[in-house]
Amino acid sequence: MKSKKNAAIGFIFITLLIDITGWGIIIPVVPKLIRELTNADISEASKYGGWLSTVYATMQFVFASVLGGLSDKYGRRPVILFALLGFSANFFLQAMAPTIFWLFVGRILSGITGASITTASAYIADISTDEDRAKNFGMIGAAFGLGFIIGPVLGGILGSFGARVPFYAAAILCLVNFLYGYFVLPESLEKSERRAFNWRRANPVGSLLQLRKYPQILGLVFSLILVYIASHAVQTNWTYFTIYKFNWSEKVVGISLGVSGFMAALVQGVLLRRILPRIGSEKSIYYGLALYALGMLLFAFASESWMMFAFLIPYGLGGIAGPALQSVISADVPKNAQGELQGALASLVSLTSIIGPPLMTNVFFYFTHNEAPVKFAGAPFFLGFMLMTISSVVAYHALKKN
């Protein structure tokens, strides 16, 4: 029994790792593929890239609760396997896309099947005891961190052989994972514990509305929203900016994103445990937001390639702000409402992933296209700097008010 449980936990970790790696592996080559399909320059390609990210995030926002509800009715195993097989098929579809339309179709389907993270999390909850629950859920963060390091670097290397090669690699990874899971993964939810599917409970907006119960945290929640939106100046815009400004290859883009992922893993996995107990959550919020803002401002006016790598240090250290904000927010909510709160915060992340990408890529296009009134490729980073600054002010007033 114990060996089966360990095998299941290992499989879920690999599933999440491959999901995130598969997502990260295509990031360095998306601009190149868009340009091949549309004959657009890098400036115009960024607009398509922003909307592709929005479509993906929208599908995840809508279907995360749906897949979670279906897994409560039919079990975790069939939903996870369906998602993996679908993810593989979608990567193959995008690899063979003859037009930009089919790339959008692929991203829509990837967003639906990529919502399997919710079901994978439920699987971990099913098989965990009180003693190992925190450790098992910690694997989710570890899988995200490793995926964002491995994926972009691997994608950048494979991208040198063609824009479609990383998509084929991601498809094969997911297909192998599906086959492995088909023969190894046991069901975690007994039939006696399943419940009927309910569309009301699968409503992703419902969890957001629950935040109105806690007016004391709304200021901090708004501060967190601004942080998430601002972060898309880096997450969505980085590839287009560095190709436009410094003529980076897919390989260099992938390495830079891998460095960014390593910084995030270092801050989240090591520094947070030492910094938060020493200076407290409130100071961590102020210092983190200040470092975030500084990093954005430096990115905006970077004039040499090496500066982008160097400026990842202050920006990466700013990563202490998000967990500190979440810590203060959760401390103001009763214990029996923590699950509801975390669901609402997860929905907020999805919503900002719908808003942030087109906002930042359209700003980039406006200041870089041939007839731009002023040429300023760093405009999205400067917008991110302003949003981080506003977030700092909002957080300060919310903390003082409480």
Side-chain angles (χ1 to χ4, degrees):
M1 182 68 70
K2 188 175 181 180
S3 62
K4 284 186 176 181
K5 181 179 174 181
N6 289 336
I9 291 173
F11 174 79
I12 293 299
F13 174 79
I14 293 171
T15 297
L16 292 171
L17 178 60
I18 289 178
D19 270 3
I20 303 306
T21 300
W23 185 82
I25 205 173
I26 66 172
I27 294 175
V29 296
V30 167
K32 186 176 181 180
L33 183 56
I34 292 173
R35 294 173 73 180
E36 286 182 6
L37 295 174
T38 62
N39 294 319
D41 61 15
I42 191 65
S43 180
E44 189 174 353
S46 68
K47 288 203 301 181
Y48 287 104
W51 289 116
L52 283 168
S53 296
T54 291
V55 162
Y56 180 84
T58 301
M59 292 301 102
Q60 283 216 315
F61 176 70
V62 172
F63 283 94
S65 299
V66 174
L67 287 186
L70 288 173
S71 76
D72 285 341
K73 180 177 181 179
Y74 298 108
R76 317 299 186 204
R77 173 185 157 87
V79 174
I80 290 173
L81 293 179
F82 160 77
L84 285 173
L85 188 60
F87 223 32
S88 177
N90 295 330
F91 278 128
F92 275 121
L93 174 63
Q94 292 174 79
M96 297 182 287
T99 64
I100 192 70
F101 169 78
W102 287 104
L103 202 58
F104 273 97
V105 172
R107 293 310 281 165
I108 289 171
L109 296 175
S110 287
I112 295 171
T113 54
S116 60
I117 292 173
T118 303
T119 306
S121 299
Y123 192 106
I124 291 176
D126 292 340
I127 62 176
S128 297
T129 63
D130 290 339
E131 290 76 22
D132 61 14
R133 192 179 306 277
K135 181 185 71 174
N136 290 343
F137 271 104
M139 291 194 315
I140 296 178
F144 268 78
L146 279 174
F148 277 118
I149 294 171
I150 298 169
V153 174
L154 184 58
I157 294 170
L158 293 175
S160 61
F161 299 102
R164 298 174 187 264
V165 174
F167 286 90
Y168 283 114
I172 292 169
L173 275 174
C174 289
L175 183 58
V176 169
N177 200 21
F178 164 78
L179 293 173
Y180 173 56
Y182 183 82
F183 292 106
V184 172
L185 185 68
E187 179 54 64
S188 65
L189 188 65
E190 298 292 336
K191 288 186 177 181
S192 60
E193 297 176 332
R194 298 178 188 180
R195 65 173 177 82
F197 180 79
N198 187 319
W199 280 106
R200 283 188 177 181
R201 297 180 73 167
N203 175 14
V205 178
S207 62
L208 286 174
L209 297 178
Q210 300 305 313
L211 289 173
R212 294 180 300 177
K213 295 179 181 178
Y214 313 105
Q216 73 274 18
I217 66 171
L218 293 182
L220 292 174
V221 168
F222 182 59
S223 176
L224 197 59
I225 289 172
L226 293 176
V227 170
Y228 288 148
I229 293 175
S231 67
H232 281 281
V234 175
Q235 293 176 17
T236 308
N237 185 62
W238 181 273
T239 307
Y240 301 97
F241 172 81
T242 52
I243 291 173
Y244 176 90
K245 181 86 173 180
F246 305 114
N247 198 29
W248 279 7
S249 67
E250 288 78 19
K251 185 176 181 180
V252 177
V253 170
I255 291 171
S256 69
L257 291 171
V259 171
S260 178
F262 174 77
M263 282 294 303
L266 180 65
V267 170
Q268 301 283 336
V270 180
L271 296 183
L272 264 177
R273 300 177 188 177
R274 301 183 179 183
I275 293 174
L276 277 175
R278 289 189 178 184
I279 66 175
S281 294
E282 187 172 341
K283 286 185 178 179
S284 295
I285 291 171
Y286 297 145
Y287 292 153
L289 291 176
L291 287 165
Y292 261 153
L294 175 61
M296 291 282 192
L297 189 62
L298 292 172
F299 288 146
F301 294 100
S303 57
E304 301 287 343
S305 286
W306 65 265
M307 293 180 179
M308 298 302 289
F309 284 92
F311 298 159
L312 279 172
I313 296 174
Y315 178 78
L317 291 174
I320 64 173
L325 271 168
Q326 290 188 30
S327 175
V328 174
I329 290 170
S330 64
D332 275 341
V333 173
K335 286 186 177 181
N336 60 4
Q338 288 297 320
E340 187 176 66
L341 171 67
Q342 296 307 316
L345 292 179
S347 296
L348 279 180
V349 173
S350 298
L351 273 180
T352 56
S353 296
I354 295 171
I355 298 167
L359 172 64
M360 295 304 176
T361 53
N362 275 278
V363 168
F364 176 77
F365 170 77
Y366 182 79
F367 285 99
T368 57
H369 73 279
N370 293 333
E371 298 179 5
V374 178
K375 293 282 188 178
F376 182 32
F381 295 120
F382 192 76
L383 175 58
F385 159 74
M386 290 192 292
L387 290 174
M388 289 294 185
T389 303
I390 295 170
S391 177
S392 302
V393 175
V394 172
Y396 174 80
H397 284 288
L399 288 167
K400 293 305 176 187
K401 185 177 179 180
N402 287 341

